[in-house]
């Protein structure tokens, strides 16, 4: 009944008959300030509800942020912060350093800060950069090792040879597995009709990876994750990684891949979308089509030349470029996207699907090995 009282908000007709004291009362007050507003969520005003809100000053918001961090787990705090920014229009207050010091850093907050980058005062910019760096470092800890392992393994597998020239180059485990049907029990031995060996470890670049990131406002979380993955891939010597961000213009951020925070602050969330222009720029980066993977992260709402975009994609695939279209690279669930453009790309043999950050390393491994990405996405 106590939990129902907290959910229902304490209206006279809630039917619980429960009164709250102590921490429960303070928790209820924090919820009321955010979710007790009559029309904050876009619905009809609820009769009998007292007005809610956090006030119009940074100190009152900072106190509220402190309260929710005291009474709710981190994952819930992140949801409440996101709701507060959207429902109570706290965007302006995020420009104040004391606010940024009070918030719980997460991917959605980073997206909001990046959208405010150009209007942010210098004092707030340093606080914002610290928030972004904290989130990026946490994402790198979570994702970097798995990415390097999956991609490195795929590169090694792609370098297998069928006729090793030296005994030291034989992969005995795989050779034995491939020849088990040739086992001779009467002799207690196996006849290796087909040898499998390790490819010579090459210092040269084995694959070119081009990440093209749509930086329209709806893609904020995807921009954050793609920038982190771009930095991780750029750290691998076997890959030559390029990263471009685009709206109606294209920004090549490849020279900043050593630091994903710099990449993120080089983006500008919002504005229109010209996918055709972005694909045209990426086309100019391709020098080895059969060894190139182009990852286009976009919801496919094309504001430019749709036919031109499809023609360029067709030309790239015909030349041998492996193209991956991600409608979203985030944990946000099913994204909104242009279904017609997705269907047109699928007809060209380029499936478009959403991908979570945890699945991205395996996706890159599948692309390197040139597996069927449509089948891969269906299994996922």
């Amino acid at each position: 009944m106590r939990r129902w009282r907290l959910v229902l908000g304490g209206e006279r007709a809630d039917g619980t008959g429960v009164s709250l004291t102590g921490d429960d009362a303070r928790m209820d007050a924090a919820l009321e300030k955010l979710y007790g507003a009559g029309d904050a969520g876009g619905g009809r005003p609820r009769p009998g509800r007292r007005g809610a809100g956090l006030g119009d000053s940074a100190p009152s918001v900072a106190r509220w942020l402190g309260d929710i961090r005291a009474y709710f787990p981190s994952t819930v705090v992140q949801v409440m912060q996101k709701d507060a920014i959207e429902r109570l229009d706290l965007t302006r207050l995020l420009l104040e350093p004391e606010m940024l010091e009070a918030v719980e850093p997460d991917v959605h907050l980073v997206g909001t800060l990046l959208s405010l980058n150009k209007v942010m005062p210098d004092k707030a910019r340093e606080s914002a950069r610290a928030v972004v760096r904290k989130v990026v470092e946490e994402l790198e800890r979570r994702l970097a090792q798995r990415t390097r392992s999956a991609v490195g393994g795929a590169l090694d597998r792609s370098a297998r040879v069928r006729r090793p020239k030296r005994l030291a180059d034989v992969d005995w485990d795989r050779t034995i597995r491939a020849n088990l049907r040739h086992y001779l029990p009467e002799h207690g031995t196996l006849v290796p009709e087909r040898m499998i060996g390790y490819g010579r470890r090459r210092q040269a670049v084995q694959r070119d990876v081009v990440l093209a990131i749509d930086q329209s406002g709806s893609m904020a979380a995807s921009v954050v994750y793609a920038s982190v993955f771009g930095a991780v891939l750029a750290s691998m010597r076997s890959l030559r990684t390029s990263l471009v961000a685009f709206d109606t213009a294209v920004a090549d951020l490849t020279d900043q891949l050593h630091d994903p925070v710099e990449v993120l602050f080089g983006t500008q969330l919002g504005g229109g979308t010209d996918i055709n222009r972005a694909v045209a720029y990426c086309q100019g980066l391709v020098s080895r089509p059969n060894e190139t993977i182009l990852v286009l992260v976009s919801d496919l709402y094309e504001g430019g030349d749709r036919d031109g975009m499809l023609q360029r994609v067709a030309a790239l695939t015909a030349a041998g470029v492996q193209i991956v279209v991600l409608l979203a690279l985030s944990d946000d669930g099913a994204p909104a996207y242009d279904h017609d453009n997705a269907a047109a790309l699928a007809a060209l043999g380029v499936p478009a699907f959403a991908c979570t950050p945890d699945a991205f390393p395996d996706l890159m491994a599948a692309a390197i090995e040139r597996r069927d990405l449509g089948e891969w996405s269906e299994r996922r």
Side-chain angles (χ1 to χ4, degrees):
M1 295 302 290
R2 163 184 167 271
R3 295 180 67 170
W4 272 113
R5 162 63 183 80
L6 286 167
V7 169
L8 295 172
E11 294 183 25
R12 291 181 180 179
D14 70 6
T16 63
V18 174
S19 58
L20 303 175
T21 59
D23 286 349
D24 284 348
R26 287 184 281 273
M27 187 185 302
D28 185 59
L31 290 167
E32 181 71 17
K33 286 181 179 180
L34 176 55
Y35 299 111
D39 194 30
R44 291 187 301 125
R46 297 168 60 185
R49 295 294 274 169
R50 59 188 173 86
L54 303 180
D56 195 32
S57 67
S60 65
V61 177
R63 282 195 298 272
W64 178 80
L65 288 167
D67 287 343
I68 65 173
R69 293 174 74 173
Y71 300 124
F72 300 98
S74 175
T75 53
V76 177
V77 170
Q78 292 173 9
V79 173
M80 294 179 72
Q81 284 179 173
K82 183 173 181 288
D83 287 347
I85 292 169
E86 294 175 353
R87 294 164 64 95
L88 303 179
D89 193 23
L90 300 185
T91 302
R92 179 178 58 82
L93 292 180
L94 285 177
L95 300 178
E96 302 187 25
E98 57 267 36
M99 273 286 292
L100 292 173
E101 293 169 3
V103 294
E104 182 80 18
D106 73 315
V107 170
H108 295 290
L109 179 62
V110 169
T112 301
L113 293 176
L114 294 177
S115 69
L116 299 172
N117 183 26
K118 301 304 182 184
V119 299
M120 195 176 290
D122 291 341
K123 187 176 180 182
R125 193 183 305 277
E126 291 306 310
S127 299
R129 188 175 288 272
V131 170
V132 172
R133 185 166 296 281
K134 183 175 181 180
V135 173
V136 166
E137 289 175 351
E138 177 59 33
L139 291 177
E140 284 187 306
R141 280 193 294 271
R142 170 186 155 193
L143 301 170
Q145 184 53 46
R146 185 178 175 190
T147 301
R148 294 190 182 101
S149 176
V151 172
L155 289 169
D156 287 343
R157 288 190 293 273
S158 67
R160 300 287 182 192
V161 295
R162 298 298 181 185
R163 294 183 179 180
K165 295 180 179 180
R166 301 186 308 162
L167 196 62
D169 292 336
V170 177
D171 183 340
W172 289 109
D173 181 68
R174 287 178 177 270
T175 297
I176 291 170
R177 290 174 183 273
N179 291 276
L180 285 175
R181 64 181 179 277
H182 303 305
Y183 178 66
L184 304 177
E186 65 275 17
H187 297 288
T189 190
L190 178 146
V191 178
E193 290 190 356
R194 183 165 62 94
M195 305 290 286
I196 299 176
Y198 297 105
R200 296 295 184 90
R201 186 169 294 277
R202 291 175 287 177
Q203 298 299 321
V205 173
Q206 297 183 42
R207 293 289 189 279
D208 295 336
V209 177
V210 181
L211 289 171
I213 311 172
D214 183 344
Q215 59 181 356
S216 57
S218 60
M219 302 295 293
S222 298
V223 170
V224 176
Y225 282 116
S227 299
V228 172
F229 278 120
V232 173
L233 295 173
S235 70
M236 301 183 66
R237 293 183 179 180
S238 298
L239 301 177
R240 180 187 294 113
T241 303
S242 303
L243 186 144
V244 298
F246 67 92
D247 40 37
T248 54
V250 178
D252 192 327
L253 303 176
T254 302
D255 60 350
Q256 299 176 22
L257 277 174
H258 63 281
D259 185 350
V261 175
E262 292 300 323
V263 172
L264 287 169
F265 275 93
T267 64
Q268 177 58 58
L269 292 174
T273 308
D274 191 337
I275 303 174
N276 178 54
R277 175 175 289 188
V279 174
Y281 183 87
C282 294
Q283 200 170 16
L285 299 177
V286 176
S287 58
R288 305 186 303 164
N290 289 316
E291 307 297 334
T292 300
I293 301 168
L294 169 59
V295 182
L296 173 63
V297 185
S298 174
D299 54 16
L300 298 180
Y301 287 110
E302 172 65 302
D305 184 351
R306 176 182 185 270
D307 292 338
M309 181 265 290
L310 295 174
Q311 289 171 8
R312 291 184 188 281
V313 169
L316 285 166
T317 55
V321 175
Q322 179 88 334
I323 300 181
V324 184
V325 176
L326 299 183
L327 304 170
L329 179 57
S330 70
D331 292 308
D332 291 342
Y337 64 95
D338 189 306
H339 291 255
D340 291 338
N341 283 338
L345 288 170
L348 296 174
V350 181
F353 49 87
C355 180
T356 65
D358 287 330
F360 185 78
D362 292 335
L363 170 62
M364 289 303 300
I368 288 170
E369 295 174 353
R370 287 194 170 272
R371 285 184 258 152
D372 186 329
L373 297 184
E375 181 182 341
W376 181 92
S377 66
E378 289 175 4
R379 289 203 314 271
R380 293 280 174 166

